[in-house]
Structures are given as structure tokens and as C-alpha cells.
Amino acid sequence: MFYSRVLRASVVALMVAAVPVGAKAESLREALASAYANNPNITSALLAVKSSAEDIAIRKAGKLPTVGIGATIADNFSLGGSTLGGGNGVTGSQKASVGVSYGQNLFDNGLSDAQIEQARALTEVAEQAMRNAEQNVLLDVVQAYMGVIRDTQLVKLRSDNVNFLQAQVKSANDRLDIGEGTKLDVSQAQTSLATGIASYKAAIASLQTSQASYERWVGHKPKNLSQDFNFRGMLPKSIDTALKGADTYHPAILSAKAAIRAAQSGTDAAQAAFGPSIDVSGNIGLAQSFGGNGGVNSPPLTGGLSLSLSIPIYAGGQLGATVRKANIGQMKSEVDAQATRDEVHEAVVTAWATLQNSVAQIDAAQQALDAAGLALDATVQSRDVGQSTTLDVLDAQATVTSAREALVQATTSRIISSFALVASSGKLSAQDLGLPVAIKSAAKYTATVEDVWQELRSIPDE
């Protein structure tokens, strides 16, 4: 039949795409390692941490001296006036100077300290955001990986179902030809076959989508995947343990806590702006004049030192508005932290419940499949002796197919929900999973840019 040729060709094409000939099997751990090393989302988050770390150096500069060297050359002239000879006079002179300038804030009422602490807190926010991005990427890899396995199995299952239904159509036609069947039997078998073909094509489309998702997250096409994975005791033993772990380790919660610190420092900075500020500045250098009537003398050494005090009195309401805005921001950060904690706890409970449900569904689906298989065999034998109809066989086959699909779905759900539970507990990271990769961190970069003399040194790449 035409349908049979098309389906066989489609099955071959999909299986070749999912399992390349001669390709080395790729475990889930290898896929996770590949994604961690190459995924742009994690790299982007790492760059965001480094960018945020530079704000620490920028804020620390407010407490450090600024030193510069300057040089000027000026050419002055005047035109006009009368001379003894009766003509106009032109006079000119040149001046050159070179010197060193110095400036530093001696006291700013704690403004710089508050800004430095705020920059450090915001850098921690970025670090936790990177950890959160890492968790999300790894969980997406698991979903894509298991999606390919699930949809490959469904394609094969539904292909087998189509082959069975094709055999039932042929059997119904043969029985009709010898007078033991009816046109209704043939029609029912053909209807079931059409439905099975549509379901098979839907499975093909889902597999193609899963393969594209896999390539997006992992960086290459899937190769002979296997759903085996050893969690090495990472799964929490109880929901209470999972919730406590989330409060301690989940990057979203830790990021929210760091955001509260940043907001508190912002309030301190806004209040410090009301206080006095003391600055010192000085310069020393050489200046030399040329031309005019003075001739050329040895360049004199000049210099100066000044101390200034500034106390804000009135700024048009800006200072007060800044403090009020900072206070509101601090309250908002605390509310956001509570919302984040509730959201993470919801994710923990959901993942835990989904895992328990999937385990129960696997047991139920396996029992249902065993029973449905026995029922199908009995129904086929009963139909062959005229005690059951073709419709009874088709219904029994549909029950078997549903049980098989339920088992595939439940098995996939168990693995995904296990990883989701680890992620919601804050432990889904390359380091916790023991992946064979170099751990990405901006800690060394941050420590380097905090160095007061970092402008004279190279910045590490890692």
C-alpha cells in the first residue's frame, strides 16, 4: 500500500536523524557538559557579572586620589598703540608650563562607603543571576534531551500501531471476500488506520521540534541518546528537606537577599548626601615665559594646596526625593524577596508532587499495559472464531497503544521532574552534578578589579 511505503520511509528518516549510523552514544551527562561549555546564555550572564564588578572599582575611586600631569603652551600678542616713530606697535610673549595635579575627597559623610557596598551587593545579584541562568539552561537541556527520547519512542510505537491497523484492514477485506466479514468491519478498520496515521505524523512533527530544541540548547544534533542518569544522592529525601535546601542554596532567593542589601546601601547613600563633604586639591609645576621685555629666566617652581568644605543647604527638593525613592526601593526589594521565596517554594512543591505522581503513573501504566496486552491477544483469538468483532479488536489495540504511550510519558516525566526538584532546591549546577567542565566564575575577575592599582595591570580572561 502507498501508506505503508510512506510510513516506512518516514520511520527510516526519523531514526537516522535521531541515531546517526556509527555515531557514539551521547549520555545525558555529556549533553549537559556540552551545553554548559558552549551555551551563550551562561556566557552572557558571566559577562554581566564582570560588567557589574567594574562598578565596584568605579565607586572605590571616589575615596582614592586622582593624580594627573598637564602641560600648556600659550602664545599671546597685542596690536595697537603709538610708538615714538609714529607707527603701530606689536608685542608678543610665549608661556609654557608643566605640572602635576592632585585631588582627593577626605570626607563625604559615608556616601562613598555606601555606594561601594551597593556595588558589591549588585555584583552578588549578578552572580546569583548567573547561577540561576545556569540552572535554567541545564534544566532546558534535560527537557530537550528527554523530549527527543520520548518522541523517538512515540514515533516507533505509533509506527507499530499503524502496521497493526494495516494488518487489520487487510484481514477485514479478506474476511469480506470470503463472506465472513462485513463492509462495516472494513470501514471501521480503515477509520482506525486513518486516525493512527494522523497520530503517527503528529509524533514525527513533535520529534522534529524536540530535535531542534536539543540542537539549540546542546549545540549539536542528538546522537543515540540514553535516559540513564545517576543522581548520586542529589535528590532530597523529603519535601521539607527540599524546602530548606531552596532557602539556603537557590540562586533566586540568594539574589533577592543581595538585592535587599543593595537597596539598604542605596538608602544609606541617599541619606549621606545631606552631610558635609571635605576635599583637598593641590598642584605643583614649572612655568616659563618667553619674549616681551623680560628676557628668559630660570623657570620658577609654583604650587598650591587648598582645602574645601561643602554643606548642602537646599537642592530644590532633589535630596529629599532621592531619600524617599530609596526607602520605597528598599521596601519593594523586601516584598520582592518574599514573592521570590514563595515562587521557589511553589516550584519545589510542584516538582515534588510531579515526581511522586510520575512514579505512581509508571506503576499504573505498566499494569495497564500488561492487562491490555493480554486482553488484545484474547480479543484477536475470539474474533478469529467469530465470537468478537473487528471493532472489539480495534478498541483493544487502542487500549494497548494508550497504555504504552502513558508509560513513555510517565517515564519521561519522572526524569524531568527529578531534575526540576534538584533545580528548585538550588543544586542543579555543573559543580554539583560533577560535570567534566571548567567551572565558569567571575570571582577572580572581581577580586582583580577591586585592586586599587588595577589600571596598571592586566585583567584575567576567566
mmCIF file of all heavy atoms in Angstrom, residues 146 150 153-154 227 354-366 402-418:
data_model
loop_
_atom_site.group_PDB
_atom_site.id
_atom_site.type_symbol
_atom_site.label_atom_id
_atom_site.label_comp_id
_atom_site.label_asym_id
_atom_site.label_seq_id
_atom_site.Cartn_x
_atom_site.Cartn_y
_atom_site.Cartn_z
ATOM 1 N N MET A 146 15.279 14.583 27.031
ATOM 2 C CA MET A 146 14.219 13.605 27.266
ATOM 3 C C MET A 146 13.096 13.745 26.242
ATOM 4 O O MET A 146 12.414 12.766 25.931
ATOM 5 C CB MET A 146 13.667 13.773 28.684
ATOM 6 C CG MET A 146 14.681 13.464 29.784
ATOM 7 S SD MET A 146 15.465 11.841 29.585
ATOM 8 C CE MET A 146 14.032 10.762 29.576
ATOM 9 N N ARG A 150 11.619 10.635 24.294
ATOM 10 C CA ARG A 150 10.177 10.385 24.352
ATOM 11 C C ARG A 150 9.557 10.347 22.960
ATOM 12 O O ARG A 150 8.837 9.404 22.608
ATOM 13 C CB ARG A 150 9.505 11.477 25.189
ATOM 14 C CG ARG A 150 7.977 11.371 25.268
ATOM 15 C CD ARG A 150 7.402 12.702 25.710
ATOM 16 N NE ARG A 150 7.699 13.750 24.741
ATOM 17 C CZ ARG A 150 8.019 14.990 25.070
ATOM 18 N NH1 ARG A 150 8.101 15.362 26.330
ATOM 19 N NH2 ARG A 150 8.262 15.883 24.116
ATOM 20 N N GLN A 153 10.516 7.343 20.846
ATOM 21 C CA GLN A 153 9.763 6.157 21.258
ATOM 22 C C GLN A 153 8.316 6.220 20.766
ATOM 23 O O GLN A 153 7.756 5.200 20.339
ATOM 24 C CB GLN A 153 9.802 6.026 22.775
ATOM 25 C CG GLN A 153 11.180 5.695 23.325
ATOM 26 C CD GLN A 153 11.229 5.692 24.844
ATOM 27 O OE1 GLN A 153 10.317 6.188 25.503
ATOM 28 N NE2 GLN A 153 12.283 5.131 25.404
ATOM 29 N N LEU A 154 7.731 7.415 20.807
ATOM 30 C CA LEU A 154 6.345 7.548 20.347
ATOM 31 C C LEU A 154 6.239 7.340 18.835
ATOM 32 O O LEU A 154 5.254 6.758 18.359
ATOM 33 C CB LEU A 154 5.800 8.928 20.731
ATOM 34 C CG LEU A 154 5.547 9.158 22.218
ATOM 35 C CD1 LEU A 154 5.023 10.567 22.468
ATOM 36 C CD2 LEU A 154 4.557 8.134 22.769
ATOM 37 N N GLN A 227 18.486 7.443 28.493
ATOM 38 C CA GLN A 227 17.861 8.171 29.588
ATOM 39 C C GLN A 227 18.418 7.796 30.957
ATOM 40 O O GLN A 227 17.951 8.284 31.986
ATOM 41 C CB GLN A 227 16.352 7.930 29.575
ATOM 42 C CG GLN A 227 15.943 6.483 29.799
ATOM 43 C CD GLN A 227 14.453 6.273 29.606
ATOM 44 O OE1 GLN A 227 13.774 7.088 29.000
ATOM 45 N NE2 GLN A 227 13.932 5.188 30.136
ATOM 46 N N THR A 354 4.932 16.292 41.260
ATOM 47 C CA THR A 354 5.022 15.726 39.914
ATOM 48 C C THR A 354 5.866 14.464 39.904
ATOM 49 O O THR A 354 5.538 13.484 39.220
ATOM 50 C CB THR A 354 5.620 16.757 38.937
ATOM 51 O OG1 THR A 354 4.831 17.944 38.953
ATOM 52 C CG2 THR A 354 5.646 16.213 37.520
ATOM 53 N N LEU A 355 6.956 14.474 40.669
ATOM 54 C CA LEU A 355 7.808 13.287 40.743
ATOM 55 C C LEU A 355 7.055 12.116 41.366
ATOM 56 O O LEU A 355 7.105 10.986 40.851
ATOM 57 C CB LEU A 355 9.065 13.612 41.555
ATOM 58 C CG LEU A 355 10.037 12.449 41.796
ATOM 59 C CD1 LEU A 355 10.502 11.852 40.478
ATOM 60 C CD2 LEU A 355 11.220 12.906 42.635
ATOM 61 N N GLN A 356 6.373 12.362 42.492
ATOM 62 C CA GLN A 356 5.617 11.284 43.131
ATOM 63 C C GLN A 356 4.521 10.752 42.213
ATOM 64 O O GLN A 356 4.288 9.537 42.127
ATOM 65 C CB GLN A 356 5.002 11.786 44.448
ATOM 66 C CG GLN A 356 6.011 12.357 45.439
ATOM 67 C CD GLN A 356 7.174 11.433 45.711
ATOM 68 O OE1 GLN A 356 6.965 10.250 46.000
ATOM 69 N NE2 GLN A 356 8.391 11.949 45.633
ATOM 70 N N ASN A 357 3.864 11.681 41.509
ATOM 71 C CA ASN A 357 2.791 11.271 40.600
ATOM 72 C C ASN A 357 3.336 10.449 39.438
ATOM 73 O O ASN A 357 2.728 9.444 39.026
ATOM 74 C CB ASN A 357 2.061 12.500 40.073
ATOM 75 C CG ASN A 357 0.956 12.142 39.102
ATOM 76 O OD1 ASN A 357 -0.020 11.465 39.450
ATOM 77 N ND2 ASN A 357 1.092 12.594 37.859
ATOM 78 N N SER A 358 4.479 10.857 38.895
ATOM 79 C CA SER A 358 5.032 10.133 37.751
ATOM 80 C C SER A 358 5.441 8.715 38.147
ATOM 81 O O SER A 358 5.281 7.772 37.360
ATOM 82 C CB SER A 358 6.221 10.899 37.174
ATOM 83 O OG SER A 358 7.265 11.021 38.130
ATOM 84 N N VAL A 359 5.976 8.564 39.357
ATOM 85 C CA VAL A 359 6.331 7.220 39.831
ATOM 86 C C VAL A 359 5.085 6.345 39.917
ATOM 87 O O VAL A 359 5.083 5.174 39.484
ATOM 88 C CB VAL A 359 7.039 7.301 41.198
ATOM 89 C CG1 VAL A 359 7.230 5.899 41.783
ATOM 90 C CG2 VAL A 359 8.385 7.996 41.063
ATOM 91 N N ALA A 360 4.004 6.917 40.468
ATOM 92 C CA ALA A 360 2.742 6.163 40.551
ATOM 93 C C ALA A 360 2.189 5.865 39.165
ATOM 94 O O ALA A 360 1.654 4.770 38.909
ATOM 95 C CB ALA A 360 1.725 6.951 41.378
ATOM 96 N N GLN A 361 2.320 6.828 38.243
ATOM 97 C CA GLN A 361 1.805 6.624 36.888
ATOM 98 C C GLN A 361 2.578 5.539 36.150
ATOM 99 O O GLN A 361 2.009 4.817 35.329
ATOM 100 C CB GLN A 361 1.872 7.943 36.108
ATOM 101 C CG GLN A 361 0.913 9.013 36.584
ATOM 102 C CD GLN A 361 -0.535 8.581 36.481
ATOM 103 O OE1 GLN A 361 -0.942 7.944 35.515
ATOM 104 N NE2 GLN A 361 -1.325 8.924 37.494
ATOM 105 N N ILE A 362 3.882 5.422 36.415
ATOM 106 C CA ILE A 362 4.662 4.366 35.778
ATOM 107 C C ILE A 362 4.142 2.997 36.201
ATOM 108 O O ILE A 362 3.941 2.096 35.370
ATOM 109 C CB ILE A 362 6.157 4.517 36.137
ATOM 110 C CG1 ILE A 362 6.746 5.733 35.423
ATOM 111 C CG2 ILE A 362 6.937 3.262 35.758
ATOM 112 C CD1 ILE A 362 8.176 6.031 35.822
ATOM 113 N N ASP A 363 3.910 2.825 37.512
ATOM 114 C CA ASP A 363 3.384 1.549 38.008
ATOM 115 C C ASP A 363 2.014 1.252 37.405
ATOM 116 O O ASP A 363 1.745 0.123 36.959
ATOM 117 C CB ASP A 363 3.293 1.580 39.535
ATOM 118 C CG ASP A 363 4.669 1.642 40.190
ATOM 119 O OD1 ASP A 363 5.652 1.259 39.532
ATOM 120 O OD2 ASP A 363 4.753 2.098 41.348
ATOM 121 N N ALA A 364 1.146 2.274 37.393
ATOM 122 C CA ALA A 364 -0.203 2.076 36.854
ATOM 123 C C ALA A 364 -0.165 1.764 35.363
ATOM 124 O O ALA A 364 -0.886 0.878 34.877
ATOM 125 C CB ALA A 364 -1.053 3.325 37.117
ATOM 126 N N ALA A 365 0.669 2.491 34.622
ATOM 127 C CA ALA A 365 0.745 2.278 33.175
ATOM 128 C C ALA A 365 1.300 0.901 32.848
ATOM 129 O O ALA A 365 0.845 0.247 31.893
ATOM 130 C CB ALA A 365 1.613 3.365 32.537
ATOM 131 N N GLN A 366 2.269 0.437 33.629
ATOM 132 C CA GLN A 366 2.835 -0.889 33.380
ATOM 133 C C GLN A 366 1.794 -1.979 33.623
ATOM 134 O O GLN A 366 1.677 -2.930 32.831
ATOM 135 C CB GLN A 366 4.054 -1.106 34.280
ATOM 136 C CG GLN A 366 4.803 -2.397 33.990
ATOM 137 C CD GLN A 366 5.359 -2.438 32.584
ATOM 138 O OE1 GLN A 366 6.187 -1.622 32.215
ATOM 139 N NE2 GLN A 366 4.891 -3.397 31.787
ATOM 140 N N SER A 402 -2.626 3.269 24.057
ATOM 141 C CA SER A 402 -2.738 4.312 25.084
ATOM 142 C C SER A 402 -1.899 3.974 26.303
ATOM 143 O O SER A 402 -1.237 4.850 26.884
ATOM 144 C CB SER A 402 -4.203 4.495 25.486
ATOM 145 O OG SER A 402 -4.976 4.953 24.392
ATOM 146 N N ALA A 403 -1.905 2.698 26.709
ATOM 147 C CA ALA A 403 -1.120 2.285 27.875
ATOM 148 C C ALA A 403 0.374 2.432 27.595
ATOM 149 O O ALA A 403 1.146 2.868 28.457
ATOM 150 C CB ALA A 403 -1.452 0.846 28.251
ATOM 151 N N ARG A 404 0.800 2.081 26.380
ATOM 152 C CA ARG A 404 2.216 2.224 26.031
ATOM 153 C C ARG A 404 2.632 3.697 26.036
ATOM 154 O O ARG A 404 3.698 4.056 26.532
ATOM 155 C CB ARG A 404 2.473 1.615 24.653
ATOM 156 C CG ARG A 404 2.461 0.085 24.640
ATOM 157 C CD ARG A 404 2.591 -0.443 23.229
ATOM 158 N NE ARG A 404 2.681 -1.905 23.213
ATOM 159 C CZ ARG A 404 2.591 -2.644 22.112
ATOM 160 N NH1 ARG A 404 2.403 -2.042 20.930
ATOM 161 N NH2 ARG A 404 2.676 -3.956 22.179
ATOM 162 N N GLU A 405 1.804 4.535 25.467
ATOM 163 C CA GLU A 405 2.121 5.968 25.437
ATOM 164 C C GLU A 405 2.138 6.556 26.844
ATOM 165 O O GLU A 405 2.984 7.403 27.164
ATOM 166 C CB GLU A 405 1.124 6.709 24.550
ATOM 167 C CG GLU A 405 1.242 6.367 23.079
ATOM 168 C CD GLU A 405 0.469 7.322 22.191
ATOM 169 O OE1 GLU A 405 -0.077 8.317 22.720
ATOM 170 O OE2 GLU A 405 0.416 7.085 20.969
ATOM 171 N N ALA A 406 1.216 6.107 27.683
ATOM 172 C CA ALA A 406 1.192 6.593 29.070
ATOM 173 C C ALA A 406 2.464 6.192 29.802
ATOM 174 O O ALA A 406 3.023 6.968 30.597
ATOM 175 C CB ALA A 406 -0.033 6.034 29.800
ATOM 176 N N LEU A 407 2.977 4.990 29.527
ATOM 177 C CA LEU A 407 4.214 4.539 30.167
ATOM 178 C C LEU A 407 5.402 5.379 29.699
ATOM 179 O O LEU A 407 6.260 5.764 30.495
ATOM 180 C CB LEU A 407 4.448 3.066 29.856
ATOM 181 C CG LEU A 407 5.689 2.421 30.490
ATOM 182 C CD1 LEU A 407 5.638 2.539 32.008
ATOM 183 C CD2 LEU A 407 5.804 0.958 30.057
ATOM 184 N N VAL A 408 5.445 5.674 28.398
ATOM 185 C CA VAL A 408 6.523 6.516 27.861
ATOM 186 C C VAL A 408 6.480 7.913 28.491
ATOM 187 O O VAL A 408 7.500 8.459 28.926
ATOM 188 C CB VAL A 408 6.429 6.611 26.328
ATOM 189 C CG1 VAL A 408 7.383 7.678 25.791
ATOM 190 C CG2 VAL A 408 6.727 5.264 25.686
ATOM 191 N N GLN A 409 5.286 8.496 28.546
ATOM 192 C CA GLN A 409 5.126 9.845 29.100
ATOM 193 C C GLN A 409 5.497 9.873 30.582
ATOM 194 O O GLN A 409 6.176 10.812 31.050
ATOM 195 C CB GLN A 409 3.680 10.323 28.912
ATOM 196 C CG GLN A 409 3.224 10.469 27.460
ATOM 197 C CD GLN A 409 3.737 11.737 26.809
ATOM 198 O OE1 GLN A 409 4.523 12.480 27.402
ATOM 199 N NE2 GLN A 409 3.310 11.993 25.583
ATOM 200 N N ALA A 410 5.072 8.873 31.333
ATOM 201 C CA ALA A 410 5.351 8.847 32.773
ATOM 202 C C ALA A 410 6.838 8.658 33.046
ATOM 203 O O ALA A 410 7.394 9.275 33.963
ATOM 204 C CB ALA A 410 4.546 7.729 33.436
ATOM 205 N N THR A 411 7.503 7.818 32.249
ATOM 206 C CA THR A 411 8.936 7.604 32.427
ATOM 207 C C THR A 411 9.715 8.884 32.165
ATOM 208 O O THR A 411 10.629 9.254 32.915
ATOM 209 C CB THR A 411 9.426 6.491 31.495
ATOM 210 O OG1 THR A 411 8.693 5.291 31.757
ATOM 211 C CG2 THR A 411 10.911 6.229 31.708
ATOM 212 N N THR A 412 9.338 9.581 31.095
ATOM 213 C CA THR A 412 9.985 10.859 30.778
ATOM 214 C C THR A 412 9.729 11.882 31.878
ATOM 215 O O THR A 412 10.634 12.601 32.306
ATOM 216 C CB THR A 412 9.480 11.396 29.436
ATOM 217 O OG1 THR A 412 9.722 10.433 28.411
ATOM 218 C CG2 THR A 412 10.178 12.703 29.073
ATOM 219 N N SER A 413 8.484 11.941 32.332
ATOM 220 C CA SER A 413 8.115 12.904 33.375
ATOM 221 C C SER A 413 8.886 12.657 34.669
ATOM 222 O O SER A 413 9.276 13.610 35.359
ATOM 223 C CB SER A 413 6.606 12.824 33.643
ATOM 224 O OG SER A 413 6.230 13.664 34.703
ATOM 225 N N ARG A 414 9.134 11.391 34.980
ATOM 226 C CA ARG A 414 9.870 11.081 36.224
ATOM 227 C C ARG A 414 11.274 11.678 36.186
ATOM 228 O O ARG A 414 11.732 12.272 37.170
ATOM 229 C CB ARG A 414 9.942 9.568 36.426
ATOM 230 C CG ARG A 414 10.703 9.170 37.689
ATOM 231 C CD ARG A 414 10.762 7.664 37.835
ATOM 232 N NE ARG A 414 11.513 7.045 36.765
ATOM 233 C CZ ARG A 414 12.841 6.944 36.728
ATOM 234 N NH1 ARG A 414 13.566 7.443 37.724
ATOM 235 N NH2 ARG A 414 13.445 6.358 35.720
ATOM 236 N N ILE A 415 11.958 11.548 35.077
ATOM 237 C CA ILE A 415 13.330 12.059 34.982
ATOM 238 C C ILE A 415 13.339 13.582 34.971
ATOM 239 O O ILE A 415 14.132 14.228 35.677
ATOM 240 C CB ILE A 415 14.020 11.495 33.730
ATOM 241 C CG1 ILE A 415 14.136 9.978 33.848
ATOM 242 C CG2 ILE A 415 15.398 12.127 33.544
ATOM 243 C CD1 ILE A 415 14.754 9.307 32.649
ATOM 244 N N ILE A 416 12.449 14.187 34.194
ATOM 245 C CA ILE A 416 12.408 15.651 34.127
ATOM 246 C C ILE A 416 12.042 16.243 35.474
ATOM 247 O O ILE A 416 12.654 17.214 35.942
ATOM 248 C CB ILE A 416 11.425 16.117 33.040
ATOM 249 C CG1 ILE A 416 11.946 15.723 31.652
ATOM 250 C CG2 ILE A 416 11.214 17.629 33.107
ATOM 251 C CD1 ILE A 416 10.999 16.075 30.517
ATOM 252 N N SER A 417 11.043 15.662 36.136
ATOM 253 C CA SER A 417 10.630 16.193 37.441
ATOM 254 C C SER A 417 11.711 15.971 38.496
ATOM 255 O O SER A 417 11.838 16.763 39.436
ATOM 256 C CB SER A 417 9.313 15.543 37.883
ATOM 257 O OG SER A 417 9.431 14.133 37.967
ATOM 258 N N SER A 418 12.523 14.934 38.351
ATOM 259 C CA SER A 418 13.646 14.740 39.277
ATOM 260 C C SER A 418 14.641 15.880 39.147
ATOM 261 O O SER A 418 15.107 16.446 40.145
ATOM 262 C CB SER A 418 14.340 13.400 38.996
ATOM 263 O OG SER A 418 13.467 12.309 39.244
#
